[in-house]
Amino acid sequence: MAGKAGLRGERAAMWVYVGWNRSGLKYLHSQAGGRPLALGGQFYYYGPGEDKSKHFDEIGNRFEFIATTGWHIVPDLFAGIDIAESGFGFSDTGLFSIQPFVSYKKYLNFGTNSDTGINARVFLYPFMGMLKYEGNIYTHIGITKKLTLAVNSGGGYSGLYKPWAQALDSIPQKALFDLYYVEDRSIRSGYSLDELMAPHYLFGSMELRFNFVTFNIAHTVDCIIQGYIFSDVGRIYDLTGTSKKEFVDAYGGGVRVLFDNPVFAYFTFAYGLNHEGNGRFSFCATAGF
């Protein structure tokens, strides 16, 4: 992944992704026309490598399109809507969705680089008659310039709303919440994918992060080597609202390699064990929640 912020001296940014499982392009202008209006779009190709993140094995490689518009109500508060199509065409073979969302971020007056925020999103799938709601609250507390405590908690709920939707068990697997693959919201231990897919969930994660090394490459790119220990906990519910798996958890540690502007390349490595002693190694291109 590579990117550039502040294009033409404005609040615009572009990211390019190239990989075995996903390649694509993302653009966002956060002050279009000199107003607090955000306009952007994303296009991705998932392939040729295997992609099980949304259970699209039955139709092979797929594409995803996302159009974004939003408004900065105040500098800390942003509301918008995404129109997304994932799959092959506007039908039940894909995942066409309308996604209103809101985000709030506030810098705190204590600690070093401390902040807190809220994210909330609604997923409307009109061709499946399905609604999903998801939200989270996060806080970063800078204990020192190098040591940070990060806490994230949230949950999600899904259901059918069309009168001809006869039963909750008709929700397709590819539209469930995924706590296995999703960056910054997964249980990082040895559960299977099926164990971490559900229509309803609660989730919490905590990380203690320490920046071991900070240096500059060619007087241009800042790089940080960060170590961390973490704990993930969750409760997953089945379609009737009762617990599908009483408790899911992960405890472990990892390393992040963080390249800042103009590269925006973040690499997170983690290994975690659950209370049953089952472990899993995970890697994703993220700087953490």
Side-chain angles (χ1 to χ4, degrees):
M1 179 178 67
K4 178 69 174 177
L7 296 175
R8 301 181 303 277
E10 300 178 356
R11 294 184 62 190
M14 179 178 290
W15 299 262
V16 177
Y17 303 84
V18 180
W20 178 242
N21 302 92
R22 182 181 75 162
S23 298
L25 181 68
K26 176 181 177 180
Y27 175 83
L28 180 66
H29 197 309
S30 297
Q31 199 172 15
R35 303 182 65 81
L37 171 67
L39 296 174
Q42 302 174 56
F43 167 75
Y44 302 107
Y45 165 65
Y46 290 81
E50 184 181 34
D51 170 39
K52 291 184 177 180
S53 62
K54 289 187 181 296
H55 292 260
F56 273 91
D57 302 320
E58 70 274 12
I59 59 175
N61 298 333
R62 64 185 176 91
F63 295 90
E64 184 173 47
F65 306 86
I66 304 173
T68 299
T69 184
W71 190 266
H72 294 272
I73 301 172
V74 294
D76 296 329
L77 181 62
F78 178 69
I81 187 168
D82 286 340
I83 308 296
E85 164 63 18
S86 181
F88 290 92
F90 300 91
S91 68
D92 57 6
T93 62
L95 284 177
F96 174 72
S97 61
I98 303 170
Q99 304 175 21
F101 65 88
V102 62
S103 63
Y104 174 81
K105 182 176 182 178
K106 182 70 175 179
Y107 289 96
L108 304 176
N109 293 324
F110 63 90
T112 303
N113 295 324
S114 300
D115 62 60
T116 188
I118 299 173
N119 296 301
R121 182 178 291 264
V122 176
F123 301 80
L124 169 64
Y125 298 93
F127 294 106
M128 294 190 296
M130 178 177 171
L131 275 172
K132 295 201 304 186
Y133 313 87
E134 186 175 33
N136 75 294
I137 301 173
Y138 65 87
T139 301
H140 304 113
I141 300 176
I143 301 172
T144 69
K145 290 184 178 180
K146 292 187 176 182
L147 185 64
T148 301
L149 176 65
V151 180
N152 183 28
S153 63
Y157 181 86
S158 57
L160 300 170
Y161 69 89
K162 284 187 176 180
W164 58 84
Q166 298 297 318
L168 285 173
D169 59 8
S170 62
I171 295 177
Q173 181 82 350
K174 60 192 176 185
L176 299 177
F177 290 110
D178 176 1
L179 271 72
Y180 187 94
Y181 277 104
V182 175
E183 298 173 352
D184 302 331
R185 194 212 62 198
S186 63
I187 303 295
R188 292 166 284 184
S189 63
Y191 297 103
S192 69
L193 174 62
D194 288 338
E195 288 178 301
L196 296 178
M197 298 290 292
H200 324 307
Y201 76 92
L202 293 174
F203 174 82
S205 183
M206 182 170 61
E207 293 186 359
L208 187 63
R209 305 167 178 172
F210 185 79
N211 295 341
F212 285 100
V213 180
T214 301
F215 58 96
N216 188 273
I217 300 175
H219 304 287
T220 303
V221 180
D222 291 327
C223 180
I224 298 173
I225 308 298
Q226 181 185 89
Y228 64 97
I229 56 175
F230 69 86
S231 173
D232 304 325
V233 294
R235 188 176 179 91
I236 294 177
Y237 299 83
D238 64 18
L239 291 162
T240 64
T242 59
S243 180
K244 172 185 176 183
K245 193 169 185 64
E246 183 175 348
F247 180 69
V248 290
D249 58 347
Y251 313 95
V255 175
R256 289 191 175 98
V257 182
L258 310 173
F259 295 96
D260 214 336
N261 187 28
V263 179
F264 296 122
Y266 308 121
F267 304 96
T268 292
F269 305 87
Y271 186 83
L273 295 167
N274 60 26
H275 67 280
E276 299 172 343
N278 299 321
R280 174 164 70 105
F281 171 80
S282 60
F283 162 71
C284 56
T286 174
F289 60 81

